[in-house]
Amino acid sequence: MGYLESKFEWAWNCGNKNDIDVYYSWGDNGTLTIQRSHLRKIIYSWRFCNSRDGWIEETRTFELTQPTSNPYTFPMKVAFGKNLGVNQANNYWGRKYKVETVLYIFSGLEEIIDEEYPNIITGCFRRSDPNFNPELQSGCNPPDLSCETVSTICD
């Protein structure tokens, strides 16, 4: 056990909301199972930036009521999501973004061990971006514009 894969993806909701949905998760789409000797807690955070909105930051902590050495599946999604630009998705096309994440795992009986799993992802809101997932919003394919070339607050 210990499936610590993480994933960032985004989609365009071209319907009534006309927004961009960004989502970062650990495990299997936010379902995370970890096995450590005396697993105690996790802390997970993200910093998401785009050149229109600036930085968005969020941190969450989940502490087990009792340490466990059995495989433990967390009872909530270990993930973050955000809707950007409701009715204004066109203001994001071609803009760069940056995602900085970290997952901390705390375990141990007497000596506490903390593990750190950081990740940084960069991209651009356009169709050819590798993190764009057209399956999340069927039929909503954004334009494939050039990306910003100037430095932004995210760089």
Side-chain angles (χ1 to χ4, degrees):
M1 296 269 148
Y3 182 64
L4 297 175
E5 292 292 314
S6 60
K7 183 178 185 178
F8 173 74
E9 56 189 352
W10 65 271
W12 174 32
N13 180 353
C14 61
N16 292 340
K17 288 177 78 177
N18 188 29
D19 67 356
I20 296 174
D21 301 325
V22 295
Y23 186 71
Y24 192 95
S25 63
W26 288 266
D28 182 13
N29 197 29
T31 301
L32 180 63
T33 301
I34 298 175
Q35 183 175 14
R36 297 290 188 275
S37 179
H38 303 284
L39 177 64
R40 295 176 175 276
K41 74 177 174 178
I42 62 169
I43 299 173
Y44 54 108
S45 65
W46 84 331
R47 296 180 71 218
F48 176 82
C49 184
N50 68 75
S51 61
R52 179 170 169 81
D53 302 318
W55 286 100
I56 299 165
E57 300 183 42
E58 199 170 348
T59 298
R60 296 181 186 152
T61 300
F62 184 88
E63 193 158 353
L64 284 70
T65 54
Q66 293 259 23
T68 184
S69 296
N70 295 323
Y72 185 83
T73 300
F74 291 88
M76 74 295 180
K77 292 277 188 193
V78 181
F80 294 103
K82 182 79 175 153
N83 298 341
L84 303 174
V86 175
N87 295 316
Q88 299 178 23
N90 59 321
N91 292 324
Y92 290 84
W93 304 137
R95 291 185 182 267
K96 295 188 282 187
Y97 64 79
K98 184 175 189 177
V99 186
E100 298 175 352
T101 67
V102 66
L103 170 68
Y104 298 99
I105 302 172
F106 295 86
S107 60
L109 181 57
E110 295 184 24
E111 181 181 336
I112 303 300
I113 300 166
D114 67 340
E115 302 169 54
E116 180 178 338
Y117 298 91
N119 195 11
I120 297 176
I121 296 168
T122 58
C124 177
F125 290 118
R126 63 181 181 168
R127 186 179 326 143
S128 61
D129 183 79
N131 299 305
F132 168 63
N133 185 346
E135 295 174 13
L136 295 176
Q137 292 287 338
S138 181
C140 293
N141 290 312
D144 212 8
L145 306 172
S146 298
C147 288
E148 295 169 303
T149 56
V150 297
S151 291
T152 71
I153 58 173
C154 305
D155 295 330

